[in-house]
Amino acid sequence: MPSDTAYHGALGDHFAQWSSAHPTNAYIDRPAMLALIGDVAGLDVLDVGCGSGFYSAAMVERGARVTGIDGSETLLRYAEKACGGRATFVRHDLEQPLPFADAAFDLAVMALVYGHVYDREQLLRELRRVLRPGARLLVSTTHPVGEQRWLGGSYYEGGRVDAPVGEYTINFERMTVERFVNELLDGGFVLERLLEPRPVEALRDVVDAEKYERIMNSTHVLTVAMRRPAD
Ligand SMILES: C[S@@+](CC[C@H](N)C(=O)[O-])C[C@H]1O[C@@H](n2cnc3c(N)ncnc32)[C@H](O)[C@@H]1O
């Protein structure tokens, strides 16, 4: 039985604060993902593992009808606040079937969540079910090369790891780039774009020159735009 990987309690509070300033989230993942999200006015959008609601709020601002799901009650409270009642949030464990009708969404955004999930085959099957034919699925993950730099060990071996985040621990599956992409392809999605985003220029103003160079010259995030083919 998989353990619960959602960010509960103090870990949720920590993530909500830290992610708004941390280079990986605030200066790399989020700008790249927002660019891919693009114009979503009038679309039904699912924010999978919505955390503190950063993407939900941004997509509400862009005129989408947003539903956010996450396993953490703590983070859902932040998300509700970020969207001020203009999005729907549902507490949901991603190991379980999604609580939505078939073909309910035009877009699903899943930022830095995928590796936490044990039963990714089921999750992808469910995402395929709730997305309309032709809908996009945007997925980001910590870059496997960056994970190797962070956690050591073999690039190829993979497997579940407990990784430190401040004084907390998160659990996720390490996988190669090859495995990450092939799982999504095997899940019935088509790859449209693969990105290894660099930080946005604004990072220069918040870290020292040496750290900026280090971050600029290494991989941190891997992002893919997938599409659910028309039947
Ligand atoms: C790194 S955070 C990303 C949050 C958000 N997408 C963002 O980029 O700001 C990972 C999120 O996945 C959620 N999560 C992890 N495992 C989960 C599970 N099994 N079911 C539901 N949510 C889960 C956590 O609670 C957390 O909000």
Side-chain angles (χ1 to χ4, degrees):
M1 186 68 177
S3 59
D4 185 354
T5 52
Y7 296 8
H8 300 291
L11 170 60
D13 289 323
H14 176 73
F15 176 77
Q17 310 309 328
W18 163 83
S19 60
S20 61
H22 192 275
T24 301
N25 300 79
Y27 297 91
I28 303 176
D29 180 56
R30 291 177 174 180
M33 197 61 130
L34 285 177
L36 280 178
I37 289 170
D39 179 7
V40 286
L43 298 188
D44 293 305
V45 172
L46 180 62
D47 187 356
V48 183
C50 61
S52 52
F54 173 83
Y55 290 104
S56 293
M59 295 189 290
V60 163
E61 283 308 316
R62 294 180 184 187
R65 285 180 296 277
V66 177
T67 303
I69 53 174
D70 202 284
S72 165
E73 231 167 61
T74 310
L75 279 167
L76 286 172
R77 277 197 293 275
Y78 284 93
E80 294 272 8
K81 197 166 166 207
C83 292
R86 295 187 294 157
T88 303
F89 291 101
V90 180
R91 185 173 182 198
H92 177 75
D93 180 0
L94 295 171
E95 307 294 343
Q96 302 300 321
L98 294 174
F100 307 112
D102 295 359
F105 297 101
D106 302 295
L107 168 69
V109 173
M110 182 159 61
L112 303 176
V113 178
Y114 186 67
H116 285 310
V117 178
Y118 283 79
D119 195 347
R120 296 183 299 281
E121 203 177 312
Q122 181 208 227
L123 175 60
L124 293 175
R125 198 165 50 244
E126 280 294 284
L127 286 170
R128 201 174 187 284
R129 180 182 68 73
V130 303
L131 285 170
R132 296 182 178 132
R136 289 187 305 154
L137 168 65
L138 307 179
V139 189
S140 65
T141 192
T142 45
H143 198 296
V145 174
E147 284 175 359
Q148 191 187 24
R149 205 173 51 242
W150 178 25
L151 300 167
S154 160
Y155 174 78
Y156 289 106
E157 202 173 308
R160 301 294 304 191
V161 286
D162 285 324
V165 172
E167 60 187 282
Y168 306 96
T169 299
I170 58 173
N171 181 275
F172 59 87
E173 176 109 18
R174 278 179 73 174
M175 58 188 103
T176 57
V177 172
E178 176 181 84
R179 179 154 163 217
F180 172 70
V181 172
N182 285 336
E183 282 190 8
L184 293 163
L185 295 175
D186 291 345
F189 292 90
V190 170
L191 177 64
E192 294 208 323
R193 204 100 202 134
L194 185 149
L195 307 174
E196 295 171 300
R198 288 184 166 206
V200 289
E201 191 62 29
L203 181 66
R204 203 187 280 279
D205 302 331
V206 295
V207 292
D208 63 40
E210 194 197 322
K211 189 164 182 190
Y212 182 76
E213 278 307 307
R214 210 170 51 240
I215 295 172
M216 278 305 282
N217 288 314
S218 44
T219 53
H220 298 269
V221 173
L222 176 63
T223 308
V224 290
M226 314 295 297
R227 196 174 289 275
R228 181 209 190 287
D231 292 322

